[in-house]
Amino acid sequence: MSYMSETYLTVRYAETDMMGIVHHSRYYPWFEAARTDFIKKSGMSYTDMEKMGILLPLTETGARYYYGLRYEDEVLVQCRLTKLTVARCEFEYEVYKLPEMKLMTTGKTGHGFINRDFAPINLKKLYPDVWLKLSELLYKGE
């Protein structure tokens, strides 16, 4: 099993819709926050990666909603890297309602590795240290 980061959030009123539940669009910023925390745990940050010239545009996204979260619910978003190639990576997310750890939503995002000119890059070849850090998190515990 790959390394999994944990991000804790509290549902804000502005994240809910007229039915009083979290609007589906609000999960994607939560995924982004969890992914940012995941990258930080690797010993770098998105900012560090961008300064090196590594960009990670979104290429694919999806979510499955099992139950609705409401205003002031405490939430745990778990994030793990599930796929890594020289040109792409994929993350998966699980959103839990606390304190009962009830699984509410699952999701995934796919990303490509590109440079500042928006050209695909080979992460392993151009940035072997970054490749190694991400590889270690992908295979941690296996």
Side-chain angles (χ1 to χ4, degrees), residues 31-80:
F31 294 169
E32 182 180 350
R35 193 171 59 253
T36 298
D37 284 349
F38 181 94
I39 297 292
K40 281 183 186 177
K41 305 285 180 166
S42 74
M44 60 186 154
S45 69
Y46 261 113
T47 302
D48 294 337
M49 291 174 69
E50 288 178 353
K51 285 179 182 175
M52 289 189 290
I54 306 168
L55 305 178
L56 269 75
L58 191 67
T59 59
E60 177 183 3
T61 188
R64 181 175 208 110
Y65 309 97
Y66 302 106
Y67 303 99
L69 288 161
R70 298 184 179 280
Y71 176 55
E72 292 189 336
D73 280 346
E74 298 295 322
V75 176
L76 167 63
V77 183
Q78 294 180 335
C79 174
R80 72 172 50 92

Side-chain angles (χ1 to χ4, degrees), residues 3-141:
Y3 170 76
M4 181 174 42
S5 68
E6 296 186 338
T7 302
Y8 294 89
L9 306 165
T10 301
V11 176
R12 297 173 296 178
Y13 186 79
E15 294 172 319
T16 62
D17 61 18
M18 287 186 65
M19 293 180 286
I21 61 172
V22 173
H23 190 266
H24 66 275
S25 66
R26 303 311 304 154
Y27 287 86
Y28 294 98
W30 294 358
F31 294 169
E32 182 180 350
R35 193 171 59 253
T36 298
D37 284 349
F38 181 94
I39 297 292
K40 281 183 186 177
K41 305 285 180 166
S42 74
M44 60 186 154
S45 69
Y46 261 113
T47 302
D48 294 337
M49 291 174 69
E50 288 178 353
K51 285 179 182 175
M52 289 189 290
I54 306 168
L55 305 178
L56 269 75
L58 191 67
T59 59
E60 177 183 3
T61 188
R64 181 175 208 110
Y65 309 97
Y66 302 106
Y67 303 99
L69 288 161
R70 298 184 179 280
Y71 176 55
E72 292 189 336
D73 280 346
E74 298 295 322
V75 176
L76 167 63
V77 183
Q78 294 180 335
C79 174
R80 72 172 50 92
L81 181 65
T82 55
K83 184 176 180 183
L84 179 65
T85 71
V86 297
R88 298 182 178 278
C89 63
E90 187 174 283
F91 292 90
E92 289 184 358
Y93 312 87
E94 295 178 350
V95 179
Y96 293 92
K97 181 180 178 188
L98 299 175
E100 57 266 53
M101 283 296 289
K102 182 176 182 178
L103 181 62
M104 306 299 280
T105 302
T106 58
K108 75 174 190 173
T109 57
H111 305 265
F113 297 115
I114 65 171
N115 64 22
R116 288 188 185 103
D117 295 324
F118 297 97
I121 61 171
N122 181 321
L123 187 70
K124 186 176 182 179
K125 181 179 176 182
L126 295 176
Y127 302 95
D129 292 344
V130 174
W131 170 263
L132 182 60
K133 286 179 183 183
L134 292 176
S135 295
E136 287 172 353
L137 292 173
L138 177 64
Y139 298 112
K140 187 173 185 170

